[in-house]
Amino acid sequence: MATYPSISHLSIKLFMKKLLIRGGKKLNGTIEITGAKNAALPLMVASILTDEKLTLTNVPHVSDISTMANLLVSLGIGIEMDGMDKDHGNQGRVLIFNASNISNPIAPYELVRKMRASIFILGPLLARMGKAKVSLPGGCAIGTRPVDLHLKAMEKLGAKIEIEGGYVNASVEGRLKGAEINFEKVSVGATENTMMAATLAEGETILHNAACEPEIIDLANCLRAMGAKISGDGTPRVVIQGVEKLHAARHKIVADRIEAGTYAIAAGITDGCIRLKGVEMWVLTGVKEELEKAGLSLTQVEPDVIEVKRISKLIQPVSISTHPYPGFATDMQAQFMSLMAVADGASTIEETIFENRFMHVMELVRMGANIESHGSLAVVKGVAKLTGAEVMATDLRASVSLVLAALVADGETIINRLYHLERGYERLADKLIACGADISILY
Ligand code: EPU
């Protein structure tokens, strides 16, 4: 067993600079879906809630996990790696967290600006240590992304919050106190942060208008395994009975539904057939239905294998609007737009979660797509052919939408700024190449 970060547990190629994709290959094969990045991040933070060990298995090898691990190590949390998880056998698939000696409840700007999910430590630190100092994350490429809902919820639980010098200074006398919290807006992160904090609060907390994403259920499952009393997760009303202490647990991270959805589109857009291994259909609720309308079939062929192929000759135009789960996921919007860019007709795509999540539009247009965006609405008129170009994107999902477009484009596409992809997709190029994609990695 090795201690993080004495050796890197990541197999990602950190010096990978560009992808060169030659489009036109039908993708066929099996792709192993990793544990969900967006489940793993709050789960890692949940380790703060106990002085006993938390073991997470099925950890994805993506750079956001390293960023979170670095933050936790800076707080004084020990992280060990174990690779002998029977499901995977890779080093670093299993991380063991030991927060018995938290020495520094501070998340500095240098770390928070790299990853907004750092704000997750606020609730658990308050619950365990009675204090936390976390840098405000600032703006983001896809929207302003305030953290007001996190802060208001902590205040409701009895914390004193002050903003000073770009930092949130939070403290509480004694334990947090259970409360009834109505979120004005559905927020995945604020639901997770509050749920974690409330596990150790005195008395009952009721969350109204809570997020229902599979990642929330996964977090609740892990917290329950640690001894928390939570019910209603996966519905908008979550009830948490605070307990005095949480204990050691071992938890397998749920499959990444966004990675699965992305490769489902790779199968559909190239008219191939891909088996997604390690994922159950329920996590694709909201996205599956729209992919089927577009002419794809998704079949659970084994308990943890979904087969995806195109059954209509041409991709059908489907209009979508993004919504919290079980609606169409905003994290799949860019990829779906690439599919619609080559559909047999026109569709509209509305982004209701983030105000600036159309940065892939102009890059897709450079590849020959016919898309016009007006505010939160994009009108996509499918074209018969896209053409390769040199493109770049400014966030994770926008980048991968360009990869999908490149897989069907005529000629060569060069995708720059691969660090965006590395934040959330484990060995993306390798997985696509194994299914027959023509991709060169340029260093
Ligand atoms: N919002 C507020 N105030 C807050 C918190 C959120 O106004 O205090 C707003 C946001 O600005 C946004 C909406 O509420 O308009 C929903 O944001 P949410 O809090 O649900 O997003 P998040 O928790 O910051 C997570 C994922 C995102 C994903 C969103 C929505 C993680 C680490 N991130 O972010 O994932 O897009 O939920 O599903 O779980 C990605 O993986 O590419 C990604 C951006």
Side-chain angles (χ1 to χ4, degrees), residues 5 83 234 254 295 370:
V254 70
N370 182 349

Side-chain angles (χ1 to χ4, degrees), residues 37-38 145-149 187-189 331 353-354 357 397:
K37 159 186 89 83
N38 288 347
R145 302 185 76 180
V147 292
D148 56 316
L149 300 173
S187 162
V188 176
D331 291 345
I353 308 289
F354 294 111
R357 214 174 195 184
R397 310 303 172 187

Side-chain angles (χ1 to χ4, degrees), residues 204-345:
E204 183 178 77
T205 298
I206 304 180
L207 309 182
H208 297 281
N209 203 23
C212 303
E213 272 67 5
E215 293 76 23
I216 305 277
I217 299 174
D218 202 41
L219 176 62
N221 283 339
C222 177
L223 292 170
R224 274 190 289 266
M226 295 166 75
K229 297 201 171 354
I230 304 176
S231 58
D233 46 292
T235 78
R237 184 175 183 276
V238 179
V239 181
I240 304 126
Q241 302 287 347
V243 296
E244 275 187 26
K245 223 176 161 328
L246 295 182
H247 54 68
R250 183 180 176 94
H251 176 80
K252 181 176 176 187
I253 298 168
V254 70
D256 194 319
R257 64 198 167 98
I258 307 302
E259 191 195 22
T262 301
Y263 292 126
I265 291 185
I269 206 167
T270 65
D271 198 10
C273 175
I274 297 181
R275 286 186 161 213
L276 308 168
K277 189 165 167 32
V279 57
E280 294 171 34
M281 196 69 89
W282 71 275
V283 297
L284 288 172
T285 303
V287 168
K288 172 184 182 269
E289 296 75 5
E290 306 306 329
L291 293 178
E292 285 174 342
K293 286 184 207 157
L296 277 58
S297 81
L298 289 85
T299 316
Q300 189 90 51
V301 289
E302 286 173 39
D304 72 336
V305 180
I306 296 174
E307 185 178 88
V308 187
K309 58 184 175 205
R310 199 159 93 207
I311 50 173
S312 69
K313 190 165 172 352
L314 298 172
I315 296 163
Q316 300 305 303
V318 182
S319 295
I320 56 135
S321 181
T322 61
H323 290 289
Y325 191 87
F328 191 95
T330 173
D331 291 345
M332 283 298 300
Q333 177 260 110
Q335 301 90 313
F336 197 78
M337 192 180 290
S338 295
L339 186 67
M340 290 302 103
V342 288
D344 183 31

Side-chain angles (χ1 to χ4, degrees), residues 67 70-72 74-75 104-115 118-119 121 125 133-137 166-167:
T67 308
N70 286 332
L71 172 60
L72 296 178
S74 80
L75 303 180
N104 171 38
I106 301 176
Y109 181 61
E110 304 87 82
L111 288 175
V112 178
R113 74 183 170 84
K114 280 194 194 162
M115 194 183 57
S118 309
I119 193 73
I121 69 169
L125 278 177
K133 182 173 176 183
V134 183
S135 169
L136 282 167
Y167 278 77

Side-chain angles (χ1 to χ4, degrees), residues 35-277:
K37 159 186 89 83
N38 288 347
L41 294 171
L43 286 165
M44 292 169 78
V45 173
S47 66
I48 293 174
L49 293 165
T50 176
D51 58 5
E52 297 182 19
K53 288 184 177 177
L54 175 65
T55 303
L56 297 178
T57 70
N58 203 22
V59 176
H61 290 179
V62 297
S63 63
D64 272 8
I65 298 298
S66 296
T67 308
M68 182 59 88
N70 286 332
L71 172 60
L72 296 178
V73 167
S74 80
L75 303 180
I77 295 170
I79 308 180
E80 286 176 320
M81 297 177 290
D82 193 356
M84 293 307 112
D85 183 27
K86 66 174 167 46
D87 296 336
H88 295 281
N90 289 323
Q91 175 135 45
R93 283 283 171 222
V94 180
L95 293 182
I96 303 148
F97 300 83
N98 180 349
S100 54
N101 287 311
I102 301 178
S103 48
N104 171 38
I106 301 176
Y109 181 61
E110 304 87 82
L111 288 175
V112 178
R113 74 183 170 84
K114 280 194 194 162
M115 194 183 57
R116 310 180 56 82
S118 309
I119 193 73
F120 290 157
I121 69 169
L122 183 67
L125 278 177
L126 267 172
R128 171 92 190 279
M129 317 255 307
K131 59 183 176 185
K133 182 173 176 183
V134 183
S135 169
L136 282 167
C140 168
I142 60 175
T144 50
R145 302 185 76 180
V147 292
D148 56 316
L149 300 173
H150 300 243
L151 304 187
K152 282 182 202 157
M154 295 309 142
E155 281 180 328
K156 278 270 189 183
L157 293 176
K160 193 171 139 217
I161 304 276
E162 281 169 358
I163 308 289
E164 208 187 333
Y167 278 77
V168 179
N169 278 316
S171 59
V172 62
E173 291 285 331
R175 284 171 72 187
L176 292 168
K177 305 267 179 307
E180 196 146 350
I181 297 169
N182 280 294
F183 291 111
E184 308 149 26
K185 202 170 184 181
V186 178
S187 162
V188 176
T191 302
E192 291 167 340
N193 214 338
T194 315
M195 211 161 80
M196 289 192 277
T199 58
L200 291 179
E202 217 176 305
E204 183 178 77
T205 298
I206 304 180
L207 309 182
H208 297 281
N209 203 23
C212 303
E213 272 67 5
E215 293 76 23
I216 305 277
I217 299 174
D218 202 41
L219 176 62
N221 283 339
C222 177
L223 292 170
R224 274 190 289 266
M226 295 166 75
K229 297 201 171 354
I230 304 176
S231 58
D233 46 292
T235 78
R237 184 175 183 276
V238 179
V239 181
I240 304 126
Q241 302 287 347
V243 296
E244 275 187 26
K245 223 176 161 328
L246 295 182
H247 54 68
R250 183 180 176 94
H251 176 80
K252 181 176 176 187
I253 298 168
V254 70
D256 194 319
R257 64 198 167 98
I258 307 302
E259 191 195 22
T262 301
Y263 292 126
I265 291 185
I269 206 167
T270 65
D271 198 10
C273 175
I274 297 181
R275 286 186 161 213
L276 308 168
K277 189 165 167 32

